[in-house]
Amino acid sequence: MRRDTFLKSLAALAATGALPMSAWASSNLKMMIPANPGGGWDTTGRALGKAMIDSGAAATVSYENKGGAAGTIGLAQFVNSTKGDGNSLMVMGAVMLGGIITGKPPVQLSQATPIARLSSEYNVFVLPANSPFKTMQDVVAQLKKDPGSVKWGGGSRGSTEHIAAAMLAREVGVDPAKINYVAFRGGGEATAAILGGNVSVGGSGLSEFAEYIKAGKMRAVAVTSEKRLPGQDIPTMKEMGYNVVIGNWRGVFGANGITPEQRKVLTDAIVTATKHKSWAEAIERNGWTPAVLTGPAFDKFVDDEFASLRAIMAKSGMI
């Protein structure tokens, strides 16, 4: 049977509910994680892969980490090596959009296929346990005095924590171009720098810092949400008088040039995985907010996010 005929048959069976769970996706799925191990994209990709296996949406999932440049190095490899491959997925999110806007890479996200948004969370800013600063107000006071003396550590340039730092600088009358931002290729590297006291302030999703905050190795001083996060005693930027509200989200894209049938099979597999208890456990464990979105609604969401981030970054002097 020809492959396209087979895929059409799978889609038809899925629509009638007659499709065996093990046939919803390739038995050998490949997952590109465009970041080094230990960060949010890595955690998301591996949690999703586990849920796909546990739910029967895939028999096996292999992973490849390729970090750097807000995920655009991994994006380039993914685009150039997987064309038409219905068995490949790439983890991505708001950080990649910011990196594309600032870095202008040779490949674009439009060269891959939108599949699904998975989760969302807000950025938390933390201080090393031995920091001379105690609050975000202390950080701001030093930022006003000598912008270059405050070393911000986080994900790639254009990441949501980078944008938040630039937004804060503009809010307090500091030229965003003068902030001293140190970009890392993955959350693991950023965490190590914060724990080692090699940066003044660290930013990322709460899930990446939660265990260190709980253990007293980091001090959480601000979150970029509209309101305080449930169960967390972390003040928002807004309640401190800084109009800095920005969210992060993560999702997955498929390869360039896949057929509508291949896209549907991948989408159905992702939806099946996100309904499994394995994914629910990952959501709870990491403090993510479930935010599954697929199809045309996800396509529009990505386009709107590009426009929104570009406007925020322009206003904050980043582009």
Side-chain angles (χ1 to χ4, degrees):
M1 183 184 292
R2 288 178 51 190
R3 179 175 174 80
D4 58 346
T5 304
F6 174 66
L7 287 168
K8 288 178 182 177
S9 298
L10 288 183
L13 285 168
T16 62
L19 182 63
M21 192 68 74
S22 60
W24 279 54
S26 166
S27 59
N28 300 294
L29 196 73
K30 294 167 286 186
M31 184 92 67
M32 163 60 75
I33 300 174
N36 286 359
W41 281 350
D42 188 60
T43 304
T44 299
R46 292 173 190 276
L48 178 63
K50 182 178 185 302
M52 293 184 80
I53 292 171
D54 291 347
S55 66
T60 66
V61 179
S62 60
Y63 307 91
E64 181 175 5
N65 288 83
K66 192 76 175 180
T72 58
I73 293 175
L75 171 63
Q77 180 173 315
F78 183 76
V79 166
N80 293 327
S81 66
T82 64
K83 187 172 182 179
D85 185 353
N87 302 331
S88 292
L89 287 171
M90 177 189 67
V91 181
M92 51 71 68
V95 170
M96 182 174 285
L97 272 57
I100 289 171
I101 292 168
T102 58
K104 300 178 176 63
V107 295
Q108 295 296 314
L109 194 56
S110 58
Q111 292 174 264
T113 303
I115 301 296
R117 186 183 65 190
L118 299 170
S119 63
S120 65
E121 65 179 338
Y122 289 96
N123 290 111
V124 170
F125 282 103
V126 298
L127 305 174
N130 61 353
S131 172
F133 305 130
K134 303 302 177 187
T135 65
M136 181 55 78
Q137 288 92 334
D138 293 341
V139 173
V140 167
Q142 183 62 29
L143 185 67
K144 289 181 176 179
K145 183 178 178 181
D146 182 5
S149 68
V150 179
K151 188 182 291 186
W152 302 81
S156 301
R157 292 188 175 277
S159 63
T160 48
E161 56 265 31
H162 184 197
I163 297 171
M167 292 172 71
L168 176 63
R170 185 179 182 280
E171 277 285 304
V172 300
V174 173
D175 182 354
K178 293 184 178 180
I179 65 172
N180 184 2
Y181 186 82
V182 182
F184 294 95
R185 292 167 67 94
E189 293 178 11
T191 296
I194 298 163
L195 293 173
N198 298 318
V199 296
S200 310
V201 191
S204 192
L206 177 61
S207 61
E208 296 187 37
F209 294 153
E211 65 177 289
Y212 304 104
I213 295 171
K214 186 175 181 180
K217 296 179 179 180
M218 295 180 183
R219 184 184 305 117
V221 292
V223 62
T224 63
S225 53
E226 188 78 32
K227 298 179 180 179
R228 289 198 180 198
L229 301 179
Q232 302 293 329
D233 187 24
I234 307 172
T236 67
M237 288 280 205
K238 198 166 184 179
E239 73 182 70
M240 289 184 277
Y242 314 125
N243 187 26
V244 179
V245 178
I246 184 169
N248 192 8
W249 57 269
R250 301 186 181 103
V252 285
F253 267 52
N256 186 26
I258 61 173
T259 66
E261 291 82 6
Q262 288 173 309
R263 182 182 182 183
K264 185 179 189 315
V265 169
L266 281 173
T267 302
D268 289 346
I270 294 297
V271 171
T272 297
T274 57
K275 291 179 178 178
H276 193 270
K277 67 176 183 179
S278 177
W279 180 250
E281 290 167 355
I283 287 283
E284 182 176 358
R285 181 171 62 250
N286 292 290
W288 298 331
T289 299
V292 176
L293 189 68
T294 64
F298 181 50
D299 299 353
K300 183 179 186 301
F301 171 79
V302 173
D303 289 343
D304 290 347
E305 277 288 286
F306 261 122
S308 175
L309 285 174
R310 191 175 283 109
I312 290 171
M313 293 165 83
K315 185 177 179 181
S316 300
M318 296 180 68
I319 55 174

